[in-house]
Amino acid sequence: AARMFLRLLSDIHWRAANPKWRMTCSRQSTSSTAEPHPVALPAQAQVVICGGGIMGTSVAYHLSKMGWKDIVLLEQGRLAAGTTRFCAGIVSTARHTSIELKMANYSNKLYQQLQQETGVKTGYVKTGSISLAQTQDRLISLKRIASSLNVMGIPCEIITPKKVAQLHPLINIHDLVGAMYVPEDALVSSANVSLALATAASRNGVQIHERTSVSHVSVQKGRVTAIETDRGQIKCQYFVNCAGQWAYELGHAAEEAVNIPLHACEHFYILTHPLNDPLASNLPTVVDPDGRIYIRNWQGGILSGGFEKNPKPLFTEGRNQLEIQNLQEDWDHFEPLLGALLRRMPDLEALQIMQLVNCPESFTPDMRCIMGESPTVRGYFVLAGMNSAGISYGGGAGKYLAEWMVNGYPSENVWPLDLKRFGTLQSSRTFLRHRVMEVMPLMCDLKVPRWDFQTGRQLRTSPLYDRLDAQGARWMEKHGFERVKYFVPPGNDLLDLGQSKTFYKPDWFDIVGSEVKCCKEAVCVIDMSSFTKFEISSTGDQALESLQYLFSNDLDVPVGHVVHTGMLNEKGGYENDCSIARLSKRSFFMISPTDQQVHCWAWLKNRLPDDSNLTMEDVTWKYTALNLIGPRAVDVLSELSYAPITPEHFPSFFCKEMSVGYANGIRVMSITHTGEPGFMLYIPIEYALHVYNEVMNMGQKYGIRNAGYYALRSLRIEKFFAFWGQDLDAFTTPMECGREFQVKLDKGMQFVGQEALLEQKQNGVYKRFTMFILEDHDTDMDLWPWWGEPIFRNGRYVGKTTSSAYSYTLERHVCLGFVHHFDEKTGEELVVTTDFVNQGEYEIDIAGHRFQAKAKLYPFSSLFTHRRRKDEMELSGYQGE
């Protein structure tokens, strides 16, 4: 009854504020029998948005704010009647990733002024939030988040259990070691926020139609052209899928399927009657991740739910409901969460429970939301899969997607959320059902570095998987591909190594150290088959001409040469960082990072000319890639190939097709992505096992051993090699990371991003990629850096680390990151010069503790005056992780 009352209030506020909208929607009862719609749908629109929850209304709001008016928003039931209606209404900025933190912070600020802007009461109350820690590891995790919040200007502090009791007298603090307090977090009525956004959008010209279902999306020549509804067709240029838990099915309702990997789970919370002494409306929200629960004030009583260890997926068969009703109560299932609540707030024992709410929430395979344009259908955008944080992300996510549609790109790096980070393999219903059963408990589990999902594994594997597994390989997964982390030597305690989770020195430290030592002194083999591999060819010069325009380095090199180049956007930022080998006058072999398979394909497909004489093929699955690293690699390969492998015959950055053992057609490249000597072998998949066996047998006398990606990471970071997706992104240019020598600015040829780079060359850059060597850090006793740690120069915040590793050569931790120069008075970004970087005293903040660090730059002066010899400048380790 209370929930229906709130819903009625929402409708009254909304319709009172929107007489214009009232004429557009159907006058309909709550029954399923539809009355005639008084206003017909428009025949065409620039944008059609499907979904009237927080995401759809936020996109409509922000698009209309940016000047797009020809927009239609369709909702199959009533506005905010889906998951938004049941949302707990907690707006929390305490997030692990930078982009999610920024989205939540923007949402909080937007909701704060929305009632004044629209006249619709949103229920916004600034309560603050307290995240509790029952263990020291949990407290470390909170300290890492607090460091990020503080440098972003969001007030936050680590507090004692005693302070927790002062802020929230009902909390039992006996088992706490500390907590994090964020005073500006808030509560809202989620449905009312959605209605307020719809109100503002409607006033800006957006047409809103309830009781209208989208059944099909028409596609012609790879672009959205129209949508079909139960009330007729609307022609459109853009379609936005904000259908929440129905987004997966709607994605498959297009002529060309759009894969949106999400799956719903049941989510439970209780509502109680008010306490005898009703709780204050501004009492802080409590998050107890170790107890797996959250607690907020609700009309003087309590709203409390959580993320149980044994979640219940639902709608696996694509079952559809017009509106979400309260699902079946399951008190047995909720009992562990109720027990955790009563342990945390013992005074609630006698409190009368009003209702157990059970509603669906959508989760994604990696716990991050999904946004962006489809890789297969132009003009088809998606915003869905909020992992129970829809109200926190709603404002910011809608803003970034609107920017993406209007400007062609958002104002922040949203790659961690981009739909194109997934491939078709993540869209299996069985995979999604199993993965969300793991993901939902992970919402509360401790986020230690280098943890791996356990479900949906062994999906994409190298032909060598069984051989490597039998030799002690420990696996991680990237884009669904199994990759070796390291190899456990015989006799080690495998169980402890595989399950070790720590913020400190990990158990694999010595194992990886021995692999690195072998790479530097003898020879190692790393299976790197997960690399994305494309072949681009043409009957004439079409391939060369097209690639010269789309890539920043000069690809008109002699046949057999390998070029390291960026694939830049119009702002000069890296959309991809890759190597391209010229196989013949008209054929090129392109190697990219593992997670570029979908993104890079879509980027090139949308920009290459539509020419039947020009072909691009994804050959990732055709080749197994072995990285032969170390000073003795040349000896092993020489004996196996009976071909001269000396620098005179096989210089750096060279590609040659050779025989290895009995196998022909092996593409051998003199690069290793680490800075160490060696070769990459691209082996036709049917020869993989034979070539591996031959290499290992021949290498015995040279001390050969297997190695994994952790060794590769250590090698590439100590050589200051950047990695795409972590160090490099769409907002980072070659000028900002010391790679001007890889750009053909002096060749008089046009290429994408050229104007932006010329401007940077003339005016300077606003951030510089920098290497930091920790000085006073004890590897055995101190917390380790991983990535995302704040960087301080002369006591002032200047940026964040992007990656880090222990250097077994320097016997120090090495962090890579970007240094900015902010004006001390205005905060305005200023040009970063070499002197600015070199003359500072630096510290790296690891969970609130600052460690001194020595900064090191590329020798920019020598790079600007002459191009380094290729054999001095190895290929970047962009694929390293």
Side-chain angles (χ1 to χ4, degrees), residues 420-468:
K420 292 183 283 295
R421 73 188 187 270
F422 295 118
T424 54
L425 57 97
Q426 282 98 351
S427 291
S428 152
R429 267 306 204 191
T430 304
F431 167 84
L432 288 170
R433 181 181 178 86
H434 291 173
R435 176 57 65 85
V436 297
M437 291 175 71
E438 178 183 10
V439 160
M440 192 170 167
L442 281 171
M443 302 295 293
C444 289
D445 285 356
L446 198 62
K447 304 298 189 302
V448 298
R450 314 284 185 234
W451 57 270
D452 301 294
F453 289 107
Q454 301 303 308
T455 53
R457 298 294 297 271
Q458 299 181 30
L459 190 58
R460 299 175 74 195
T461 60
S462 158
L464 306 178
Y465 179 88
D466 289 338
R467 279 297 308 275
L468 301 179

Side-chain angles (χ1 to χ4, degrees), residues 496-566:
D496 286 350
L497 273 172
Q499 295 185 346
S500 62
K501 294 182 177 181
T502 181
F503 290 102
Y504 292 89
K505 180 180 176 180
D507 289 344
W508 46 255
F509 179 82
D510 292 328
I511 292 174
V512 174
S514 63
E515 292 179 4
V516 168
K517 187 172 187 288
C518 188
C519 286
K520 287 181 171 294
E521 297 178 1
V523 57
C524 278
V525 178
I526 303 179
D527 184 348
M528 300 176 72
S529 302
S530 65
F531 278 7
T532 297
K533 300 173 276 289
F534 297 163
E535 285 183 3
I536 302 161
S537 57
S538 60
T539 56
D541 293 333
Q542 300 95 327
L544 177 63
E545 291 171 0
S546 299
L547 297 181
Q548 283 286 60
Y549 178 68
L550 293 175
F551 291 86
S552 58
N553 209 346
D554 187 6
L555 299 177
D556 192 6
V557 294
V559 171
H561 282 251
V562 182
V563 176
H564 182 212
T565 180

Side-chain angles (χ1 to χ4, degrees), residues 340-361:
L341 170 63
L342 295 177
R343 284 190 296 274
R344 187 56 57 209
M345 298 178 73
D347 291 350
L348 298 185
E349 283 279 6
L351 193 63
Q352 187 177 358
I353 294 174
M354 179 186 297
Q355 186 180 11
L356 175 61
V357 177
N358 177 6
C359 60
E361 283 276 6

Side-chain angles (χ1 to χ4, degrees), residues 470-474 487-494 497 511 514 705-706:
Q471 296 177 74
R474 287 295 171 266
F487 287 82
V488 178
N492 283 59
D493 189 334
L494 307 187
L497 273 172
I511 292 174
S514 63
R705 66 176 290 171
N706 292 298

Side-chain angles (χ1 to χ4, degrees), residues 213 375 406 429 529 644 818 879:
S213 298
V406 174
R429 267 306 204 191
S529 302
F818 286 92
Q879 297 102 330

Side-chain angles (χ1 to χ4, degrees), residues 296-348:
R296 57 154 287 191
N297 165 67
W298 187 75
Q299 297 188 350
I302 289 292
L303 184 159
S304 178
F307 301 94
E308 62 274 23
K309 290 184 177 181
N310 56 332
K312 298 169 66 176
L314 74 164
F315 302 156
T316 301
E317 294 76 33
R319 172 186 166 197
N320 205 315
Q321 290 177 285
L322 187 62
E323 290 178 7
I324 299 174
Q325 306 299 326
N326 190 14
L327 301 170
Q328 188 172 356
E329 291 184 349
D330 188 338
W331 283 101
D332 289 339
H333 191 78
F334 188 72
E335 192 277 331
L337 300 180
L338 181 61
L341 170 63
L342 295 177
R343 284 190 296 274
R344 187 56 57 209
M345 298 178 73
D347 291 350
L348 298 185

